[in-house]
Amino acid sequence: EFFHSSDLLLENGETSEEWKNSRLGRSLSSIFAAQAAAARSEKVVLILCVKGDVTSLKQQAAVMRTAEDLYKEVMETKRILSTENLEAEEEREMSDPISFDDLYDVMLVQVESENDAKKVMDIAYRSAAEQAPITASTSALISDTYSCSSKTSSLLHNVLTSPRSVTSALLLCNDCYLRYSRSLRAKMVPWKNRVARNLLIDKFGSQATTLYNSILQNYDYETCSVSGGAAAGYRLAQRSKLEYALTRDIGELFRLQLAICESDAIKQLQRKLLKLRKADALSKATPPKEGKDVEERMAQSYDDNAAAVRATSFAFDTKAAELEVPPLQLTKTQASRDVAAKLYDTLNNFDKSAIAQLQDMKLIQKTASRQAQIKKKQRGTEPSIDIGLNLVAMFRPDGFGNFQGFAGYNLGPYGVTVGVQNDADSLEVLNQFGGLRPPFLRFQPKLNFDIEL
């Protein structure tokens, strides 16, 4: 097929839209699409065969304007379709596309006979040989060019080589997909930031369900005209992408919030057990007449611990119920069983935990202090003087103070402390001793007097 002078121009001088939608127009668009999909920037020769007079300036302008209009349409379509990666969309918009004159060296050749067609092929062979490496054969170059221009896996190629109705359907599906992808991302960003601070999202289950249903239903409604047509497969593929993104993001937030609820439940149970443990210790310290016997105390402690586990488990179920997303089958059933098992493990191992042992140490210290005060009151208020002796030795070797250590031992009112600090060469220490090095060993006895009146 060739460019026909009668088909290129309308009465007002514009390019014929019917010609753009013809097989020849789609073929030229396919060439531009292959070049755009390959992202090549080197200049290539584009030979346009015209059946008619090519010496006419009007004819030349019509051909060049037609080719340039098709190229601009291809590049604009590529820009629209390549925005599926939303994070790089702004960067693509900032970059300027390659102009038609920078990418193609256009040659207009008049073709009226078979001999003219052979001349065109000779020109093509010579141009390919000039632009390709010497080692590449001409047949290989033609094969590579044909295979590149005939690829049908690219959406850009399908859009530009399909009829206008199919192209409109593909672009509609792509536009809806991009619009709802941005809407999904705008909703997920504040949610993820809140969960990252270990905070729950208010009414997450109902909000996520509404978001999931609204995005898919609106996409189906706006693209319902495409169903059953040539672009139905692409419509379904874009819907699957939306559904996958919704399932992935909502499911991730659901699992993270369940983990937060689980951690809060375990901490809540530990606080309750600490209070019960403290109350039990105080009840054991009461006199036998006022307190309860051992069996009653054990039964009461067992009931209190079981009640604490049930209350904590119920609180977890209440929070988890607000996180459920029924359309995605995200429920709390399995999580409730797992948390219940972990709560009972926490109860069984609580006596060996660090916080329980720390509480025992505090209770022992408090009891010892109380007993010391009682003994002091029993002794009366007679004045007394206690004398104690502490020996302190400090070694100060060469260095700038980057190493130090201390060790001590106390026995009643007597004690020994030995330290090492390598600060003999430090400027601050030298200034303290008037520019002289401090002694290697410093021995200092301390005498303590504890006077009670």
Side-chain angles (χ1 to χ4, degrees):
E1 290 181 80
F2 305 98
F3 289 93
H4 292 271
S5 57
S6 59
D7 296 334
L8 289 175
L9 293 178
L10 300 176
E11 294 181 357
N12 57 0
E14 298 293 334
T15 305
S16 172
E17 189 68 24
E18 182 180 355
W19 182 90
K20 287 184 179 181
N21 200 26
S22 65
R23 189 158 66 96
L24 179 58
R26 293 201 301 270
S27 298
L28 188 57
S29 298
S30 177
I31 295 175
F32 293 153
Q35 190 75 6
R40 297 175 179 173
S41 58
E42 63 271 12
K43 199 168 187 179
V44 297
V45 177
L46 178 63
I47 303 175
L48 300 179
C49 302
V50 180
K51 189 173 183 180
D53 186 12
V54 297
T55 60
S56 171
L57 296 179
K58 187 176 182 181
Q59 174 73 6
Q60 293 178 4
V63 174
M64 294 297 296
R65 184 168 60 253
T66 300
E68 189 170 356
D69 290 344
L70 286 176
Y71 174 78
K72 291 180 179 179
E73 182 179 341
V74 168
M75 298 307 295
E76 178 63 19
T77 306
K78 178 187 177 183
R79 187 191 65 81
I80 296 174
L81 297 179
S82 62
T83 55
E84 292 189 12
N85 185 3
L86 299 177
E87 296 179 354
E89 180 179 356
E90 296 180 359
E91 181 179 351
R92 289 193 183 98
E93 291 179 354
M94 293 294 293
S95 60
D96 296 331
I98 303 176
S99 64
F100 179 77
D101 296 333
D102 293 337
L103 190 59
Y104 292 101
D105 186 6
V106 183
M107 297 178 59
L108 298 180
V109 181
Q110 181 178 355
V111 177
E112 297 289 348
S113 62
E114 185 177 352
N115 292 332
D116 295 337
K118 291 182 180 180
K119 292 180 182 179
V120 171
M121 294 304 299
D122 292 338
I123 296 174
Y125 276 118
R126 289 196 301 270
S127 301
E130 291 175 358
Q131 295 186 0
I134 300 177
T135 55
S137 62
T138 305
S139 60
L141 292 173
I142 296 176
S143 176
D144 293 342
T145 304
Y146 177 77
S147 62
C148 181
S149 61
S150 60
K151 289 181 179 178
T152 59
S153 59
S154 172
L155 173 62
L156 177 65
H157 184 278
N158 291 338
V159 168
L160 297 175
T161 58
S162 301
R164 295 290 172 175
S165 59
V166 179
T167 300
S168 301
L170 293 174
L171 293 178
L172 173 63
C173 296
N174 189 72
D175 177 69
C176 292
Y177 167 75
L178 293 177
R179 183 152 32 87
Y180 288 116
S181 295
R182 296 189 189 98
S183 177
L184 173 62
R185 186 177 65 170
K187 190 70 173 178
M188 287 299 165
V189 168
W191 281 2
K192 291 181 178 180
N193 292 337
R194 182 173 178 82
V195 173
R197 300 194 302 270
N198 289 332
L199 299 175
L200 298 180
I201 302 171
D202 297 335
K203 299 180 181 179
F204 172 77
S206 59
Q207 290 192 66
T209 301
T210 303
L211 179 67
Y212 179 84
N213 292 330
S214 63
I215 286 182
L216 293 183
Q217 290 175 3
N218 290 338
Y219 178 85
D220 293 339
Y221 176 76
E222 294 183 18
T223 60
C224 63
S225 60
V226 182
S227 60
Y234 181 70
R235 171 181 181 258
L236 181 61
Q238 297 299 87
R239 188 186 190 278
S240 300
K241 289 182 180 180
L242 277 177
E243 186 175 6
Y244 171 77
L246 285 165
T247 305
R248 177 196 61 201
D249 294 342
I250 294 176
E252 180 183 0
L253 290 174
F254 175 77
R255 287 183 288 271
L256 290 175
Q257 291 181 95
L258 280 182
I260 295 174
C261 293
E262 177 183 326
S263 177
D264 292 343
I266 293 176
K267 292 179 181 178
Q268 182 182 359
L269 177 61
Q270 289 176 345
R271 289 192 296 268
K272 290 182 178 180
L273 293 178
L274 281 175
K275 293 181 180 179
L276 294 174
R277 188 182 182 87
K278 184 177 180 180
D280 184 62
L282 294 176
S283 65
K284 291 179 180 178
T286 57
K289 294 182 180 180
E290 299 178 3
K292 302 178 181 179
D293 57 15
V294 177
E295 293 183 357
E296 290 181 355
R297 288 175 177 174
M298 291 181 61
Q300 183 66 33
S301 176
Y302 179 82
D303 293 340
D304 292 342
N305 292 339
V309 172
R310 289 194 299 270
T312 306
S313 180
F314 179 77
F316 172 82
D317 291 340
T318 302
K319 291 182 180 179
E322 297 181 356
L323 304 177
E324 291 184 326
V325 185
L328 300 179
Q329 298 181 355
L330 298 176
T331 61
K332 64 179 179 63
T333 306
Q334 185 61 37
S336 298
R337 290 195 291 263
D338 295 341
V339 168
K342 291 182 180 180
L343 291 178
Y344 279 107
D345 290 341
T346 302
L347 175 61
N348 296 332
N349 300 324
F350 184 72
D351 292 337
K352 302 178 182 179
S353 63
I355 55 176
Q357 294 177 1
L358 181 61
Q359 187 188 47
D360 291 342
M361 292 178 61
K362 291 181 178 180
L363 290 175
I364 292 173
Q365 292 176 357
K366 188 175 181 179
T367 303
S369 176
R370 185 180 303 170
Q371 291 177 354
Q373 292 178 0
I374 294 174
K375 290 181 180 180
K376 182 177 179 180
K377 291 180 179 179
Q378 291 176 354
R379 287 199 308 264
T381 58
E382 297 179 359
S384 62
I385 299 177
D386 295 331
I387 301 176
L389 178 63
N390 289 331
L391 301 179
V392 180
M394 176 64 71
F395 295 91
R396 308 184 78 170
D398 298 340
F400 295 93
N402 56 356
F403 174 77
Q404 59 182 353
F406 298 90
Y409 177 76
N410 293 320
L411 180 61
Y414 307 102
V416 177
T417 303
V418 179
V420 178
Q421 184 172 6
N422 61 337
D423 59 351
D425 298 326
S426 177
L427 293 178
E428 296 179 358
V429 176
L430 293 176
N431 292 333
Q432 292 177 1
F433 288 88
L436 300 178
R437 294 169 60 86
F440 178 75
L441 174 63
R442 186 185 69 178
F443 183 77
Q444 180 180 353
K446 291 184 179 180
L447 192 62
N448 299 325
F449 295 91
D450 187 5
I451 301 175
E452 294 184 1
L453 300 177

